[in-house]
Amino acid sequence: MLQSRFAFHADITGFKKLMTINIRYALPFLLLTACTHKEPIMNNNPLTIVTTCQPDRAPVLHTPAKDVEFPLSQEIKDLIAGMKDLMEHKLYAAGLAAVQVGAPYKVIVYQVTPEALKIREDARDVVPPTALINPSYEIIQGSGTTFDWEFCFSVLDQGGKVTRPTSIKYTGYDEDGHFIEGEAHGFLARLLQHEIDHVNGLLCSRLYPSGGFYGPRDAMFKIREEEIAKKKELST
Ligand SMILES: [Zn+2]
């Protein structure tokens, strides 16, 4: 059951940092963009996260993203670099989709860190920061399901556990335009489903009501922290 401890930890750390950034820097910027923002911000770094709490920017989260053409434009290269930087060094996230920074393109980045392997029961292999372009997935029928915590930097008012297929086949392209296909299981399958769903305009919060366990984000974090503490207690 304790499959998303890293994501949870990462979410807490990232969320606190995000709030710090918002309070210190981003709020005036967001207030400014609320009045002037027309097109997605592409080449600014740091990128800012779009949330469902921002009515003027949120539509991109609910709209299927556009295909990316190869060779990559400088704009898309800059976007991917900015997303990786945001994921690795600012949010400490497991993944991020371009729509979450206001760019309506089929681009995701993701990673499975060595730390994740230590604390996740279903994280099998380290994955370095990776971009997947024009990604898609299909469920491997009969692989079963997992029920686990899932949070999203674009959904600041909710958190919870959702059921996902355990295994998927996925496809996409790397940054050089090479076709990629593979199978993912456990945590990586959950991560890719979460990010590729973003590309299709779907948020994990859509899964909360369908047999999920969900509620206010802060309350869910508290429950998750208690689960982690209990697990540590049992393992010592
Ligand atoms: Zn998300």
Side-chain angles (χ1 to χ4, degrees), residues 3-236:
Q3 297 164 11
S4 288
R5 272 177 287 174
F6 175 73
F8 178 69
H9 173 75
D11 262 351
I12 291 176
T13 306
F15 182 68
K16 286 178 178 174
K17 287 178 180 293
L18 184 64
M19 290 300 96
T20 303
I21 290 169
N22 272 342
I23 292 168
R24 292 182 180 174
Y25 308 111
L27 187 56
F29 178 72
L30 292 175
L31 290 173
L32 178 64
T33 56
C35 300
T36 62
H37 184 74
K38 291 285 198 305
E39 296 295 328
I41 298 167
M42 294 293 294
N43 293 319
N44 291 351
N45 200 354
L47 299 168
T48 58
I49 291 290
V50 177
T51 79
T52 56
C53 302
Q54 300 168 332
D56 59 325
R57 301 181 76 196
V60 72
L61 298 173
H62 307 293
T63 307
K66 295 185 287 191
D67 283 325
V68 173
E69 295 183 353
F70 291 93
L72 295 183
S73 65
Q74 190 59 48
E75 183 182 48
I76 297 295
K77 290 178 182 177
D78 291 344
L79 170 66
I80 292 172
M83 288 171 61
K84 284 183 177 176
D85 179 63
L86 193 60
M87 174 180 71
E88 287 185 75
H89 306 301
K90 296 184 175 63
L91 298 178
Y92 306 102
L96 196 63
V99 294
Q100 291 184 272
V101 293
Y105 297 107
K106 291 182 178 177
V107 175
I108 66 170
V109 297
Y110 61 97
Q111 63 178 349
V112 180
T113 65
E115 182 186 1
L117 293 189
K118 294 177 187 172
I119 59 177
R120 281 189 171 278
E121 294 173 355
D122 66 345
R124 299 183 179 180
D125 301 298
V126 167
V127 178
T130 301
L132 193 63
I133 300 161
N134 300 337
S136 66
Y137 73 85
E138 61 181 54
I139 297 163
I140 297 179
Q141 298 296 335
S143 64
T145 59
T146 59
F147 182 59
D148 206 351
W149 291 101
E150 212 161 305
F151 295 89
C152 180
F153 284 103
S154 293
V155 182
L156 298 183
D157 58 344
Q158 283 185 299
K161 289 183 177 183
V162 298
T163 299
R164 295 262 192 196
T166 303
S167 300
I168 61 167
K169 291 181 179 178
Y170 67 94
T171 63
Y173 294 84
D174 68 14
E175 293 169 70
D176 296 318
H178 298 128
F179 182 68
I180 304 293
E181 61 182 338
E183 291 188 1
H185 311 278
F187 169 66
L188 181 58
R190 176 175 294 273
L191 172 58
L192 287 173
Q193 287 174 77
H194 181 112
E195 302 307 336
I196 296 173
D197 280 356
H198 270 303
V199 164
N200 296 319
L202 302 172
L203 297 168
C204 64
S205 51
R206 83 191 158 93
L207 298 172
Y208 292 152
S210 57
F213 172 76
Y214 67 105
R217 187 179 176 105
D218 288 348
M220 293 296 106
F221 271 145
K222 191 168 185 297
I223 293 171
R224 187 59 173 140
E225 281 180 325
E226 289 169 357
E227 278 192 10
I228 292 171
K230 191 174 181 181
K231 179 79 175 177
K232 284 181 178 175
E233 201 173 283
L234 290 173
S235 64
T236 56

